Amino acid sequence: PMTLPDRFIDHNTQDAQYHEAGLDAAAIAHTALHALGIENNMTQPLLKATIGPKS
């Protein structure tokens, strides 16, 4: 299961908060592919993508 972590997430944009929690599109895709037993290198660039500095 993918859930919000049991810790405080700093105030930031929604996208940055989802990224910090591991619930952004790249993390969801990686988890789904891993659950299906598919190791896909196409998700690697997405996982390395960064969200800009905190505002």
Side-chain angles (χ1 to χ4, degrees), residues 33-49:
L33 291 172
H34 184 72
L36 294 170
I38 301 170
E39 297 299 325
N40 189 341
N41 290 333
M42 288 177 43
T43 59
Q44 292 305 316
L46 294 174
L47 295 172
K48 293 180 182 177

Side-chain angles (χ1 to χ4, degrees), residues 1-31:
M2 296 184 74
T3 62
L4 287 169
D6 190 23
R7 62 180 171 80
F8 183 77
I9 296 176
D10 290 329
H11 179 78
N12 208 330
T13 65
Q14 258 187 332
D15 289 338
Q17 288 178 324
Y18 282 127
H19 178 74
E20 184 179 338
L23 294 172
D24 58 354
I28 292 169
H30 177 73
T31 300

